[in-house]
Amino acid sequence: MLKKLIKDTKANNGREKLVRILEATMSDEEAHSLDNVLMSQIKNPQFVVLGIKTGINSDAPILSEIIQEGIEDGSINTEFPNECAEIFMLLVNIWINPVLFNRNISETLSRLKFLQMLMKQLGVDIVSDKLIKQILKRHSYIMEDKNE
């Protein structure tokens, strides 16, 4: 799905392309069809480690390529595209996960706002307000299902 999104997403620059891809990924119901199954495994340390490895080894390089596009077109300003992609993946997939750390929506929002500020300071301003709302919506569904 991510490869198709990258191919099909039209944007004026690398930053805009990455923002659109992140927002599209978060809003795609099919991409999240297994969220409840995955959340049932979140307490399994091997599952968490596998998620970290996948985020760093598979997903971060894809983000890094688009960050590099943004550097080349001037829409992103960082000397560390690989590292920014990796830290983004670690924080959004692990640190912000409300189930893994048993956080409520308010605490999750605080971490998302921090991530937004951090990425902006790193020169990779890719965490839009729309993305934050989409992540919170997704996490509220997960938390509702977890509490049922």
Side-chain angles (χ1 to χ4, degrees), residues 16-50:
E16 186 179 304
K17 181 178 184 177
L18 191 49
V19 168
R20 287 183 180 179
I21 289 168
L22 292 172
E23 290 173 355
T25 301
M26 189 51 58
S27 65
D28 186 285
E29 290 301 319
E30 189 175 322
H32 295 280
S33 62
L34 294 177
D35 279 357
N36 290 333
V37 174
L38 297 175
M39 286 303 118
S40 71
Q41 292 295 312
I42 203 70
K43 301 292 186 197
N44 177 339
Q46 293 155 330
F47 178 81
V48 174
V49 170
L50 179 62

